[in-house]
Amino acid sequence: MAPISVHAQVATDVQAPAPDAAALPEAQEAGGSNAAEPGTIVVTANRAPTEIDRVPASITVLDKAAIDRAGDFVVSDLLVRTPGVTLSRNGGYGTLTSLRIRGAEADQTVVVVDGVKINDPSSPGGGYDFSKLLVGDATRIEVLRGPQSILWGSQAIGGVVNVVTPLADAPLEGSLDVEAGSRDTVSGRAAAGGRTGPLSWRIGAQAFTTDGISAFDEGTERDGYSNRSVAGRALLDLAEGISADLRGYYSDGRVDTDGFLTDSLEYARNREFVGYAGLNAALFDGRFRNRFGFGYTDTDRDSYNPARARPQTFDGVGRNERYEYQGSVGILSGIDAVFGAEHEESRFRTVSPPASLAVAVPAASRAKADITSVYGQLNAEVVSGLTLTGGVRHDDHSRFGGQTLFAGGGVWALPTGTVIRASYSEGFKAPTLYQLFSEFGNEALDAERAKGWEAGAEQRFLDGRVSIGATYFERRTRDLITFASCFGAAAAADPLCRTPGTGTARFGYYTNFARAFAKGVEAAGRVALWDRVAIDGNYSWTSSEDRSADSAGFGRQLPRRPRHAWNVAASYTVPNALTLSAAARHSGATFDNAFDFTRLSSYTLIDLRGEVPISDTVRLFVRAENLFDEDYRTAAGFGTLGRSIYAGFRGRF
């Protein structure tokens, strides 16, 4: 039930598909925490494959075997078991879910689906709400930690999460997962694909519904959730070394929500579309690979309160159009380069209609911005076992101008099974359109900026069946965008407390004020014995503090970021008969807000799972989550799921 924790390079050639779980080395397929055999090829964010011992960045890879073993409905529940990752959720499934990597802000994570970077320009921070991302047909999920803006651009301060769906390898193949359990929860997943001549394709869908729990932690009525999603990919070989690539993802969800500290009939709808079209060209026997692509994302969010005269309370639409060129070239043996150029155009529209029909709906806030970027990265094995990496990126934003970022690192793989890594990286996050142009906007905002470094070592024993490793990291972030309230006598003299162009007083505005400092240790280990027993665990200590000048919270741990978190899992397999596994997840105490008013207690959740094969292609399973019905909170005032029992079957054909 635990992930594979490895280190991988982020390269930029999406032509190479992520490897199928069945093709991975045995140590990876078993689901270890840190183990990977020397020579293992890792494909991060659907880009160029690289040997694991030639890359300095920290990454966790969840392959298809690990995803199936965990059995989770949503991607966020998989990610929270990986090192350095914590989350908060405002209730049950479907409610706002915020993921934080190494103590960074929730909106400082880049999310990628099949190589397409997605975010919502109409949300205040531009971050991704993980509540709507079902596991679906995902065959590989990757979590890259630390500032990564050299190759990923804006938002990659905490890290990157990439979800990959597969292409078919056989003439015809398929899968089917059906599961049901507590609170009338039902989930069904199905996928089919094939490869005929020059065409390879696959399409998968998931339907999920649950009666849920009350989002308000003291509520009595259940807040349900339903989601339908579909994802598809197709690759057509046009000529030798030339191919066309199409990808798409769509989801439609509805979740019941509660008002402020009370039950209510409120609900929200979210529709999301992600599309991509690309042309791939591999020249000079594949040594020079090129990709020309266009990506499009469209997010439509609506909120309703049936108790109001005018039921709709919010209407927001965010769109991104992204034009890309990226290339990779093998210069000499052991020396590779990746490079590219991107142009992204973002648009948003939001409006909050008043409750009374006697009051006219105000004009919607609308705006657009664009950013143009160029980047390059060189990866060179300078001597046997020692690889150095360096990269640079320049961005030109239509609103706040240009900036240049740098990154570098090295990895030394010794014959003794010891691997030593160190890297320095930079990140930035452009102000969102909402922060710039909404009723609380400030067009003078600058980008948030971060600098970070990490160093770590890993030791492998017994051909990779046993491994231990640890990494220390630091990150400094400045010019964080915060909301300044316009209350008190001082606000009357603040010109930003009046809407630009109209002079109308407003409740507040966004400003570059905050600073933060994060440091921590991530440790992981894995033992695999006799092809039957596997024990896997990780521990994270994260100190993420407010360092804003003149802040009342100076020196305090930032909210909803526990200093201590750990995960452990163990499994026992009787070949062709039975697999039993148990997992424990612990989150330390934290606070719900920056002023330490509300404390969230520590908690430990225990999960059990059993699986029985009934044929070569079909397996039955049952799982229990939060077995001891722990009462806990990840956000003050919001409920959490108690003991849950699910059962179903999984087929691979």
Side-chain angles (χ1 to χ4, degrees), residues 96-119:
L96 177 65
T97 303
S98 301
L99 181 140
R100 298 173 178 86
I101 300 178
R102 287 184 171 176
E105 298 295 331
D107 56 20
Q108 293 176 338
T109 296
V110 164
V111 181
V112 181
V113 175
D114 279 335
V116 182
K117 180 180 173 182
I118 58 175
N119 67 300

Side-chain angles (χ1 to χ4, degrees), residues 236-257:
L236 178 64
D237 295 327
L238 303 175
E240 185 175 357
I242 308 295
S243 62
D245 192 359
L246 294 175
R247 310 170 201 163
Y249 167 79
Y250 176 78
S251 72
D252 185 349
R254 182 190 189 277
V255 60
D256 297 331
T257 59

Side-chain angles (χ1 to χ4, degrees), residues 563-586:
R563 290 184 184 271
H564 303 278
W566 54 260
N567 297 272
V568 64
S571 65
Y572 178 79
T573 300
V574 179
N576 303 316
L578 175 68
T579 297
L580 296 175
S581 58
R585 175 167 67 88
H586 176 82

Side-chain angles (χ1 to χ4, degrees), residues 348 365 432-445 483 496-500 506 508-511:
F348 95 116
S365 299
T432 67
L433 293 176
Y434 191 93
Q435 291 167 340
L436 288 166
F437 301 111
S438 71
E439 62 267 39
F440 310 111
N442 178 3
E443 295 186 38
L445 289 174
F483 187 79
L496 288 175
C497 283
R498 298 190 175 276
T499 305
R506 56 181 179 175
Y509 59 90
Y510 289 99
T511 182

Side-chain angles (χ1 to χ4, degrees), residues 239-450:
E240 185 175 357
I242 308 295
S243 62
D245 192 359
L246 294 175
R247 310 170 201 163
Y249 167 79
Y250 176 78
S251 72
D252 185 349
R254 182 190 189 277
V255 60
D256 297 331
T257 59
D258 283 332
F260 180 70
L261 299 181
T262 184
D263 282 334
S264 76
L265 299 176
E266 296 175 55
Y267 67 94
R269 291 284 306 275
N270 187 96
R271 292 168 293 278
E272 183 176 48
F273 172 75
V274 178
Y276 171 84
L279 182 67
N280 309 310
L283 308 175
F284 307 113
D285 296 325
R287 294 182 61 83
F288 181 27
R289 301 167 68 86
N290 304 269
R291 179 178 67 87
F292 303 86
F294 171 73
Y296 177 80
T297 64
D298 187 312
T299 304
D300 188 349
R301 296 182 295 124
D302 301 279
S303 298
Y304 300 90
N305 183 353
R308 299 193 343 164
R310 181 181 278 122
Q312 188 168 26
T313 60
F314 177 80
D315 178 14
V317 177
R319 294 187 176 92
N320 287 317
E321 296 179 0
R322 189 179 184 90
Y323 304 85
E324 301 175 303
Y325 164 75
Q326 59 184 33
S328 65
V329 58
I331 301 172
L332 295 171
S333 177
I335 303 178
D336 307 297
V338 294
F339 48 88
E342 303 169 345
H343 179 76
E344 180 179 298
E345 299 176 358
S346 301
R347 293 175 172 82
F348 95 116
R349 174 184 61 80
T350 62
V351 62
S352 298
S356 173
L357 296 176
V359 180
V361 177
S365 299
R366 301 173 182 265
K368 64 178 182 179
D370 60 78
I371 184 169
T372 302
S373 312
V374 293
Y375 59 86
Q377 180 171 284
L378 185 67
N379 184 268
E381 187 174 9
V382 294
V383 298
S384 178
L386 177 60
T387 300
L388 301 180
T389 299
V392 61
R393 181 186 187 96
H394 181 77
D395 293 277
D396 187 10
H397 194 279
S398 61
R399 299 295 178 177
F400 65 80
Q403 62 181 353
T404 302
L405 305 174
F406 300 93
V411 55
W412 192 10
L414 301 173
T416 59
T418 304
V419 182
I420 302 171
R421 294 179 170 88
S423 64
Y424 166 84
S425 55
E426 299 179 348
F428 83 103
K429 179 179 179 291
T432 67
L433 293 176
Y434 191 93
Q435 291 167 340
L436 288 166
F437 301 111
S438 71
E439 62 267 39
F440 310 111
N442 178 3
E443 295 186 38
L445 289 174
D446 202 352
E448 300 176 350
R449 294 174 171 85

Side-chain angles (χ1 to χ4, degrees), residues 9-279:
Q9 176 179 348
V10 181
T12 56
D13 191 341
V14 301
Q15 294 169 217
D20 184 82
L24 292 174
E26 182 179 354
Q28 250 188 306
E29 193 172 324
S33 263
N34 241 9
E37 294 179 351
T40 295
I41 301 298
V42 179
V43 180
T44 299
N46 203 25
R47 296 179 179 183
T50 305
E51 289 189 14
I52 194 171
D53 289 344
R54 291 190 56 201
V55 294
S58 295
I59 188 170
T60 296
V61 179
L62 298 164
D63 65 4
K64 185 61 174 175
I67 294 170
D68 283 346
R69 278 194 303 273
D72 292 306
F73 298 122
V74 293
V75 169
S76 59
D77 286 350
L78 286 163
L79 300 178
V80 76
R81 297 191 183 101
T82 63
V85 176
T86 59
L87 67 80
S88 58
R89 186 155 58 198
N90 292 1
Y93 289 119
T95 58
L96 177 65
T97 303
S98 301
L99 181 140
R100 298 173 178 86
I101 300 178
R102 287 184 171 176
E105 298 295 331
D107 56 20
Q108 293 176 338
T109 296
V110 164
V111 181
V112 181
V113 175
D114 279 335
V116 182
K117 180 180 173 182
I118 58 175
N119 67 300
D120 180 11
S122 68
S123 66
Y128 187 75
D129 178 5
F130 277 87
S131 67
K132 56 197 177 187
L133 189 57
L134 302 176
V135 171
D137 197 32
T139 191
R140 192 173 177 89
I141 302 173
E142 303 156 348
V143 187
L144 180 65
R145 298 185 289 276
Q148 302 293 336
S149 285
I150 298 301
L151 295 177
W152 289 108
S154 179
Q155 287 188 273
I157 288 177
V160 180
V161 172
N162 180 59
V163 179
V164 180
T165 61
L167 279 170
D169 294 320
L172 184 63
E173 62 185 35
S175 65
L176 179 64
D177 299 66
V178 177
E179 190 170 355
S182 300
R183 304 172 199 90
D184 291 330
T185 300
V186 179
S187 174
R189 292 185 287 166
R195 184 172 182 88
T196 304
L199 177 64
S200 181
W201 63 276
R202 185 174 172 101
I203 186 168
Q206 180 172 0
F208 177 84
T209 183
T210 181
D211 285 351
I213 61 172
S214 175
F216 171 44
D217 62 355
E218 298 182 12
T220 58
E221 51 84 28
R222 290 186 172 183
D223 293 309
Y225 174 57
S226 63
N227 193 321
R228 308 290 186 271
S229 68
V230 60
R233 295 184 61 187
L235 184 68
L236 178 64
D237 295 327
L238 303 175
E240 185 175 357
I242 308 295
S243 62
D245 192 359
L246 294 175
R247 310 170 201 163
Y249 167 79
Y250 176 78
S251 72
D252 185 349
R254 182 190 189 277
V255 60
D256 297 331
T257 59
D258 283 332
F260 180 70
L261 299 181
T262 184
D263 282 334
S264 76
L265 299 176
E266 296 175 55
Y267 67 94
R269 291 284 306 275
N270 187 96
R271 292 168 293 278
E272 183 176 48
F273 172 75
V274 178
Y276 171 84
L279 182 67

